[in-house]
Amino acid sequence: NNLSKEYFDFIKESSLSSFKDIDDFLKDYKNKEMKDAYVNIADEIQSKITIKRDEFNKFEEIFGDVYDIILDNCPQLIVNQRLVNLFLHHMYWNCKIGRTK
């Protein structure tokens, strides 16, 4: 995915410790609607990344653009903007976005 080691380390330091909580939340049947939304959003982001992948040198540039697009279109997330990166990182870590080969 051409993600820099520096950004990979940033993901591990800033987000990795929360991934189990996210996984547990998404696995709980009572959160099925949220899991479905998560899967749909990840699929949509992956589709957009695939279309424009060659426009970016490093994958962290994609994170930056997707983050900006989300906050521009959902300004109510500004109060929890850290969660936007957290979920993008989770999607990447679990191979929901980015290349898997």
Side-chain angles (χ1 to χ4, degrees):
N1 281 307
N2 205 22
L3 183 72
S4 71
K5 180 182 179 337
E6 182 178 7
Y7 200 88
F8 182 76
D9 290 343
F10 170 68
I11 290 173
K12 290 193 309 186
E13 292 168 13
S14 68
S15 300
L16 185 60
S17 64
S18 298
F19 290 172
K20 184 180 180 327
D21 292 336
I22 294 171
D23 291 336
D24 291 345
F25 179 85
L26 294 174
K27 287 177 187 173
D28 189 329
Y29 185 76
K30 69 181 176 191
N31 300 319
K32 183 183 180 326
E33 188 175 315
M34 295 295 284
K35 179 181 181 178
D36 291 346
Y38 173 91
V39 170
N40 286 331
I41 291 167
D43 186 63
E44 183 66 22
I45 291 171
Q46 178 64 10
S47 174
K48 301 295 185 191
I49 289 171
T50 301
I51 291 168
K52 296 189 173 225
R53 181 66 175 96
D54 292 337
E55 295 178 20
F56 299 92
N57 293 318
K58 298 281 186 185
F59 200 85
E60 53 263 39
E61 294 173 15
I62 293 171
F63 279 123
D65 276 11
V66 171
Y67 175 88
D68 290 343
I69 290 167
I70 290 170
L71 289 181
D72 287 348
N73 288 291
C74 302
Q76 68 273 22
L77 294 176
I78 294 284
V79 295
N80 291 312
Q81 62 192 33
R82 184 195 175 291
L83 295 178
V84 174
N85 268 336
L86 177 63
F87 276 89
L88 289 174
H89 293 165
H90 184 268
M91 289 173 185
Y92 178 82
W93 194 267
N94 288 284
C95 301
K96 301 293 184 203
I97 60 173
R99 293 181 182 145
T100 58
K101 296 180 185 185

